[in-house]
Amino acid sequence: MTHLSGDTVPISSRPPLVVAMTGASGAPYAARLIEVLLGAGRDIELVISPAAAQVWADELDVRLDPERFDPDSFLAALGSRRLASSDPPVPRSAATQLRYRQIMDWHAGIASGTFLTDGMVICPCSMSTLGAIAGGLSTNLIQRAADVHLKERRRLVLVPRETPLNLIQLENMTRCMQAGATLLPAMPGWYHRPESLVDLIDFVVGRICDQLQVPHRLLRRWGSDPAGSSGD
Ligand SMILES: Cc1cc2nc3c(=O)[nH]c(=O)nc-3n(C[C@H](O)[C@H](O)[C@H](O)COP(=O)(O)O)c2cc1C
């Protein structure tokens, strides 16, 4: 009988979540998602496409430099751009939970299935990245890490944003879904009676956290509201 005790490793903490941001509209969703995941104590492997940096400048007035990313200034920028959330800001010490990987860094662990993760989310996911994943291109680290998550049968959550959609985009979504991804479009519901932008953002971020199995109180769950409202 093989004795495995020397080869086994005790489970200590959960492996990191991969968070990738691409150049679709919706930077506030990504900003809030990172805030919530760090607040939940999760480690993040973060990748940012050059187009995502452009969108952050356009939508949040935050300058990200994908070549020289600094977790401390990123958290400071997140803190300064917070919408009217009642949560306390993420402490600067959370910078240690954030590991940044450059988009062409093929030596990054997440380029390989041997590097364990707890799943991956691309938020927001551009139609360009969606098409590349559907086509199995792996021409950058975001596409490669997504490909790895599909082949390893790990959670991959794609948060596309585009409207209206053409047939190619719909077929790419179908293809990614057939390969195992969860398609979670940035489409907030209205049945929870949102009163602010934060309510709308938190609806989408809450649904992403549900998929990643990260506990949260970002949205009111159907069945827990005596006033009643419907949806899924
Ligand atoms: C302000 C801004 C908003 C954009 N919004 C979208 C969008 O909502 N959906 C989308 O698919 N592409 C959008 N684009 C275009 C993508 O950024 C572009 O296709 C880019 O090549 C995506 O590259 P990436 O997937 O590597 O990030 C937007 C670009 C800019 C600058």
Side-chain angles (χ1 to χ4, degrees):
M1 194 175 86
T2 316
H3 183 58
L4 285 176
S5 64
D7 297 328
T8 55
V9 177
I11 297 170
S12 50
S13 59
R14 297 184 75 149
L17 289 162
V18 182
V19 177
M21 307 191 302
T22 63
S25 182
Y29 294 117
R32 182 74 171 130
L33 176 65
I34 291 170
E35 233 177 41
V36 168
L37 295 180
L38 291 177
R42 301 307 305 270
D43 290 335
I44 294 177
E45 295 274 323
L46 179 67
V47 196
I48 302 173
S49 78
Q54 205 173 317
V55 174
W56 272 61
D58 289 340
E59 296 185 343
L60 291 175
D61 233 354
V62 169
R63 313 273 146 195
L64 298 179
D65 183 352
E67 297 285 318
R68 279 173 295 278
F69 180 88
D70 171 39
D72 290 307
S73 10
F74 178 69
L75 286 189
L78 274 191
S80 68
R81 297 303 308 167
R82 297 179 80 235
L83 300 163
S85 164
S86 56
D87 297 350
V90 175
R92 297 291 173 79
S93 56
T96 56
Q97 294 164 238
L98 206 52
R99 279 186 300 272
Y100 178 71
R101 309 295 179 196
Q102 287 199 2
I103 192 147
M104 297 310 281
D105 180 5
W106 301 114
H107 292 114
I110 56 172
S112 164
T114 56
F115 183 91
L116 294 180
T117 74
D118 213 14
M120 173 173 184
V121 54
I122 306 184
C123 174
C125 182
S126 73
M127 292 300 119
S128 166
T129 292
L130 179 84
I133 296 167
L137 298 188
S138 288
T139 54
N140 65 35
L141 185 60
I142 294 176
Q143 298 165 16
R144 169 64 185 165
D147 203 59
V148 165
H149 279 72
L150 292 177
K151 83 181 174 73
E152 300 293 335
R153 296 279 194 265
R154 290 189 208 145
R155 266 188 290 270
L156 172 64
V157 182
L158 306 178
V159 186
R161 208 241 49 111
E162 188 52 278
T163 195
L165 294 161
N166 66 36
L167 183 63
I168 297 167
Q169 294 161 340
L170 286 169
E171 286 181 351
N172 284 339
M173 285 191 214
T174 304
R175 204 162 159 73
C176 287
M177 193 176 204
Q178 284 170 337
T182 296
L183 271 293
L184 196 155
M187 287 182 186
W190 289 80
Y191 53 84
H192 60 307
R193 307 274 179 94
E195 290 173 358
S196 67
L197 281 180
V198 172
D199 289 344
L200 288 169
I201 294 167
D202 280 358
F203 183 92
V204 172
V205 172
R207 299 315 309 269
I208 296 170
C209 288
D210 286 347
Q211 290 299 319
L212 297 174
Q213 298 185 339
V214 173
H216 66 87
R217 288 196 194 89
L218 296 173
L219 50 86
R220 201 164 51 213
R221 296 193 182 278
W222 178 241
S224 65
D225 172 19
S229 48
S230 77
D232 56 2

